[in-house]
Amino acid sequence: MVQSFRKKMALFSTMTMTGINSKQGNVNGIGIHMSTVTKEARRLCKQGRLKEAVDMLHRGIGSGIRVDSDTYCYLLQGCLDNKAVAEAKLLHFHIINTGFQIHTFIWNKLLFIYAKHGTLADARTVLDQMPNPNVVSWTVMIAAYARRGDSQEALALFQLMKQRGIQPNQFTYAAMLAGYTHNGRVDDALKLFREMPEKNAVSWNAMIAGFAQNGFVNEALKLFQEMPHRNVISWNSMITGYALSGQVDEALKLFQEMPERDVISSNAMIAGYSQNGHVDEAAKLFHRMPERDVVSWTAMIAGYAQNCYFEEALELFGELLRTCLKPNSDTFACILPAFANLAALEHGKKLHESIIRIGFQYDVFVDNGLIDMYAKCGIVESACKVFEKMPKRSVVSWTAMIGGYAMNGLGIEALKVFKQMQLSGTNPDAVTFVGVLSACCHAGLVYDGCQYFDSMTKNYNITPTMEHYCCMVDLLGRAGNLEEAWDFIDRMPIKPGPSVWGSLLASCRIHNNIELGKHAAEFLFELEPENGAPYVLLSNIYAAAGRWDDIEKVRRLMKDKKVKKDPGHSWIEVNKQVYAFLVEDRSHPLMQKICDNLEKLSGQMKEAGYVPDTRFALHDVDDEQKEQSLCHHSEKLAIAFGLMNTSPGTPIRIVKNLRVCGDCHSATKFISKIVQREIVVRDASRYHHFKDGLCSCGDYW
């Protein structure tokens, strides 16, 4: 596009200016009147054929036809609507080089295109070229600087504007206030606000919203109470502020006191409820709304997805598609995690097709969601294709790709992407390092992981969080360095949380270290008395050692404390429908056929050398009963169902809520070889790609 644009500029610069003021010219050897060219250009623009419209105008001008202001305005509006910066630049070039006396409102439209969709440098060039910029011109430029975080340049331009004799209006002040608050400079914003000669609702609302969004809810409330005439925007800003700070009750109180509400008020409450875990209340409000816009639907879908109600999110998204409303890029970005967490690959692919058809395939937030979705469905190649096609990548994009490789056991590839990220000039953040350390952990790269952990503070001034310490304990523990992991915990500058002790306990389970495992479990019993997972892990350690009396003690402790164990769940998508299986599940209508299929597979597996690992059966019964219990683990039920209902040779994809046990891991390797299928299992820890009797984790997980 840029090369084409340069060619056109070079061609245009050689054209003769003779007859430029003529109302009739010659296009392709045919005499055409100005009205014909402009009419055709408008028609093409209206049909969405903007490039053709600009080309038509380009040829007309080259033949000596003079274009009127209305046509320029019409085409520039088309450029604005379609984010067509290249076409806007060509029109800009025409305007400058034809000597056309352009009205200020057309200059402003061009300025707005560059400010919103182009570069600040291009926008500033337009402002500097304008013979008589008005208050709108200055305000657009100031707002552009402020919006992109350059508050210093915005302030300099604000001062220059006043020196040139242009008095700021309410929107100029609002732009400056928003710029300050957007960058956390609330004190500077308040100072400017107090200096304003006249304050109106726009400036008051800008300050209230700024304080609220920066977490200064009490200061926002003081301004809200001080405000002489509040409107619905003022109320909505306060509701949003309370919701963001977790004060849902205060938000609800204001919501109920509002003299009048609009759809934005309800959207703010839905978001507030959802962000604070009150999904049922959000859903009640959503269904009571007399009128909903796409933001309402997006907020509710996001609420479901953020709180792990993935199936409800998918169902609601389906309802949205049946309305007259069109999902926007935010909607797609919010629904993609639901597809990702359910590993609903076929649904995700269809959604990707819709994204391309609607034109959001280059939206950075949507692309980040697609990378995450494909990675969590175990299709790293597709995630990589999305990543490579992105015209612009944010730190989240790099982090998603690193995390995608890491969770699929491709640690070396993850670290290669991290190197590329460093070379690109994008600075990693704390979340990026979680992905990097996880990659080292799953690949057993202990030395590299320690080096990266040290570089966080030395090279990037990032203070490690509980997640980073958890990764390091996991890294050391998985490698069998349990004493070193214990010492690392002992040296932590912050109090170890449940995730840290959980990582150590899981490592003790892998390496059958009873004493350290018992100590780690005791810390977890104290920190999370209602969490059943540590009780189960400790029982696993005891079961592997045959210490059935100790297992019985753990069970009695759970009973006394009324602790409930999370049962194993597995999900599989078949024919675009997601099916769930529970350990020892007998409810499925095809359960007898599933069990018969598993029994047949079990015989084939034993012939191939499979020996059931009864250490993972937590009951002191005979081996036959233990084998029967292991046979009904949820992932085995899901795999058998998938084999019965999918075509031979197609991959089977399973999601499990818990870490896959050693027996299921071994069994799935045998099944993959017997049925000649790739089986992808995503458990609570990572991805396992089983193929031809091997697993991508190399039995290191």
Side-chain angles (χ1 to χ4, degrees):
M1 178 67 77
V2 174
Q3 189 176 3
S4 174
F5 176 53
R6 285 173 179 166
K7 285 181 180 178
K8 287 175 181 176
M9 289 179 71
L11 175 65
F12 188 84
S13 64
T14 63
M15 290 178 179
T16 177
M17 301 300 289
T18 306
I20 200 72
N21 294 318
S22 170
K23 288 193 175 183
Q24 182 166 334
N26 187 291
V27 181
N28 296 332
I30 303 172
I32 297 181
H33 196 273
M34 178 189 74
S35 61
T36 307
V37 173
T38 55
K39 185 178 179 181
E40 178 65 10
R42 287 190 184 206
R43 184 185 69 80
L44 291 169
C45 183
K46 190 175 182 180
Q47 292 177 353
R49 298 157 65 184
L50 186 60
K51 187 177 184 304
E52 294 175 59
V54 175
D55 285 343
M56 164 68 74
L57 209 65
H58 175 77
R59 292 195 301 272
I61 294 171
S63 66
I65 288 177
R66 182 181 175 84
V67 180
D68 60 8
S69 298
D70 290 343
T71 302
Y72 275 127
C73 191
Y74 193 89
L75 292 184
L76 284 170
Q77 185 60 47
C79 293
L80 180 60
D81 295 340
N82 292 280
K83 303 179 183 179
V85 178
E87 282 73 21
K89 282 188 174 183
L90 189 55
L91 292 172
H92 181 191
F93 183 79
H94 289 162
I95 291 166
I96 295 298
N97 286 276
T98 57
F100 182 68
Q101 295 300 309
I102 187 171
H103 294 292
T104 303
F105 72 86
I106 295 180
W107 277 113
N108 287 342
K109 196 172 287 290
L110 190 58
L111 177 63
F112 193 68
I113 293 168
Y114 289 147
K116 190 172 183 182
H117 303 304
T119 67
L120 290 178
D122 287 333
R124 185 58 185 265
T125 298
V126 171
L127 182 69
D128 294 339
Q129 286 176 341
M130 291 179 68
N132 296 299
N134 60 15
V135 66
V136 175
S137 319
W138 291 95
T139 300
V140 168
M141 195 66 239
I142 288 168
Y145 278 127
R147 188 168 54 249
R148 302 201 190 183
D150 195 346
S151 50
Q152 286 300 114
E153 194 63 37
L155 180 60
L157 204 60
F158 181 73
Q159 301 294 351
L160 181 62
M161 171 188 181
K162 291 192 287 186
Q163 291 172 14
R164 297 275 180 89
I166 306 293
Q167 287 304 311
N169 63 15
Q170 55 184 341
F171 299 104
T172 318
Y173 278 110
M176 278 300 302
L177 294 174
Y180 277 137
T181 57
H182 180 71
N183 292 286
R185 297 175 59 178
V186 287
D187 290 338
D188 291 328
L190 185 60
K191 181 182 177 184
L192 178 63
F193 178 73
R194 296 302 184 195
E195 291 173 354
M196 287 175 61
E198 205 173 302
K199 303 178 185 69
N200 58 14
V202 175
S203 51
W204 280 98
N205 289 337
M207 276 307 304
I208 291 168
F211 270 126
Q213 289 163 9
N214 280 280
F216 298 100
V217 187
N218 292 334
E219 288 78 359
L221 181 61
K222 288 177 184 176
L223 282 175
F224 178 75
Q225 292 169 339
E226 187 183 332
M227 189 174 178
H229 302 290
R230 303 171 198 143
N231 57 21
V232 69
I233 299 173
S234 320
W235 289 86
N236 289 343
S237 297
M238 278 307 306
I239 290 169
T240 302
Y242 275 127
L244 287 173
S245 66
Q247 301 181 59
V248 185
D249 292 339
E250 293 298 326
L252 180 60
K253 183 180 176 183
L254 276 182
F255 182 73
Q256 292 170 339
E257 290 175 0
M258 287 182 74
E260 59 173 322
R261 299 175 194 152
D262 60 9
V263 68
I264 299 173
S265 315
S266 298
N267 293 347
M269 277 307 303
I270 290 170
Y273 277 134
S274 300
Q275 287 166 10
N276 292 280
H278 305 300
V279 187
D280 291 339
E281 294 301 320
K284 286 177 187 176
L285 176 57
F286 175 80
H287 291 297
R288 285 200 308 264
M289 288 176 70
E291 182 185 349
R292 306 183 194 111
D293 59 13
V294 70
V295 178
S296 317
W297 289 87
T298 301
M300 194 63 243
I301 289 168
Y304 278 135
Q306 288 164 4
N307 290 279
C308 300
Y309 290 79
F310 302 118
E311 292 176 12
E312 288 82 354
L314 293 184
E315 186 179 338
L316 192 63
F317 182 71
E319 286 182 35
L320 169 60
L321 296 180
R322 292 190 288 273
T323 70
C324 60
L325 295 171
K326 286 185 178 180
N328 58 25
S329 59
D330 290 334
T331 317
F332 286 119
C334 290
I335 192 59
L336 280 166
F339 289 107
N341 283 283
L342 290 174
L345 180 61
E346 293 308 312
H347 281 88
K349 285 180 176 177
K350 287 291 182 186
L351 186 67
H352 193 178
E353 289 173 8
S354 299
I355 288 167
I356 293 171
R357 189 168 57 252
I358 295 172
F360 291 133
Q361 70 268 34
Y362 297 123
D363 183 281
V364 68
F365 298 106
V366 174
D367 283 346
N368 292 344
L370 284 169
I371 292 168
D372 185 58
M373 186 269 293
Y374 279 123
K376 285 182 176 174
C377 288
I379 312 294
V380 193
E381 299 84 0
S382 296
C384 190
K385 285 178 183 176
V386 174
F387 179 76
E388 287 175 348
K389 288 180 180 178
M390 291 180 72
K392 291 182 180 179
R393 296 170 186 149
S394 66
V395 65
V396 177
S397 314
W398 290 97
T399 300
M401 197 64 245
I402 291 166
Y405 275 129
M407 72 175 70
N408 281 278
L410 301 168
I412 302 299
E413 287 79 357
L415 297 183
K416 284 180 181 176
V417 174
F418 182 64
K419 293 287 186 186
Q420 291 170 12
M421 179 184 186
Q422 292 174 308
L423 291 171
S424 75
T426 306
N427 283 327
D429 61 11
V431 183
T432 312
F433 274 102
V434 172
V436 170
L437 294 174
S438 296
C440 295
C441 182
H442 291 308
L445 303 171
V446 177
Y447 177 79
D448 296 270
C450 293
Q451 293 296 307
Y452 284 121
F453 181 78
D454 290 340
S455 75
M456 286 176 59
T457 49
K458 288 180 181 177
N459 300 339
Y460 297 100
N461 198 29
I462 297 172
T463 303
T465 66
M466 194 68 71
E467 279 189 281
H468 301 107
Y469 289 113
C470 175
C471 287
M472 286 301 296
V473 172
D474 201 15
L475 174 71
L476 296 168
R478 280 176 194 262
N481 304 326
L482 294 172
E483 294 294 340
E484 191 176 343
W486 180 272
D487 291 340
F488 181 86
I489 294 172
D490 194 48
R491 296 194 308 271
M492 281 175 58
I494 57 176
K495 185 178 179 181
S499 60
V500 171
W501 291 115
S503 291
L504 181 63
L505 180 58
S507 296
C508 290
R509 166 67 192 89
I510 295 169
H511 299 286
N512 297 315
N513 190 312
I514 295 174
E515 290 308 311
L516 275 183
K518 185 180 177 182
H519 288 311
E522 286 170 352
F523 279 108
L524 285 164
F525 296 161
E526 183 180 342
L527 291 168
E528 293 185 323
E530 296 179 0
N531 184 4
Y535 295 89
V536 175
L537 275 173
L538 184 59
S539 296
N540 281 329
I541 296 173
Y542 286 144
R547 293 172 59 165
W548 302 107
D549 291 341
D550 288 320
I551 291 176
E552 191 55 39
K553 289 177 184 177
V554 173
R555 286 193 182 125
R556 282 200 300 270
L557 186 62
M558 289 180 72
K559 188 175 180 180
D560 292 343
K561 292 188 175 183
K562 298 179 180 180
V563 176
K564 291 185 178 180
K565 169 190 169 184
D566 271 342
H569 280 83
S570 291
W571 294 266
I572 182 172
E573 183 188 24
V574 175
N575 296 325
K576 299 179 184 177
Q577 186 172 344
V578 178
Y579 297 87
F581 291 89
L582 187 66
V583 62
E584 299 287 351
D585 191 0
R586 300 285 179 180
S587 62
H588 198 281
L590 295 176
M591 186 51 64
Q592 188 57 52
K593 288 185 178 180
I594 292 171
C595 290
D596 291 344
N597 195 20
L598 277 173
E599 189 173 343
K600 181 182 176 182
L601 272 173
S602 182
Q604 292 174 306
M605 287 156 57
K606 286 179 180 177
E607 287 179 10
Y610 164 69
V611 178
D613 193 340
T614 55
R615 293 177 302 165
F616 294 93
L618 301 182
H619 297 280
D620 188 14
V621 294
D622 61 49
D623 285 347
E624 187 176 344
Q625 286 177 290
K626 288 179 180 179
E627 286 184 32
Q628 192 66 23
S629 172
L630 291 171
C631 193
H632 290 89
H633 280 193
S634 63
E635 59 266 56
K636 288 176 182 168
L637 297 174
I639 290 170
F641 178 77
L643 290 171
M644 292 163 52
N645 293 279
T646 56
S647 302
T650 57
I652 290 174
R653 305 180 191 283
I654 309 290
V655 177
K656 187 177 181 181
N657 65 327
L658 305 176
R659 185 177 181 273
V660 65
C661 80
D663 178 71
C664 287
H665 190 271
S666 176
T668 308
K669 287 196 293 183
F670 278 95
I671 293 171
S672 71
K673 188 170 185 178
I674 291 166
V675 300
Q676 287 298 292
R677 300 264 205 120
E678 181 183 5
I679 302 173
V680 182
V681 178
R682 188 183 97 205
D683 69 7
S685 174
R686 61 172 293 160
Y687 274 85
H688 300 267
H689 295 254
F690 298 93
K691 191 173 183 180
D692 296 327
L694 300 172
C695 180
S696 59
C697 73
D699 298 335
Y700 185 88
W701 88 100

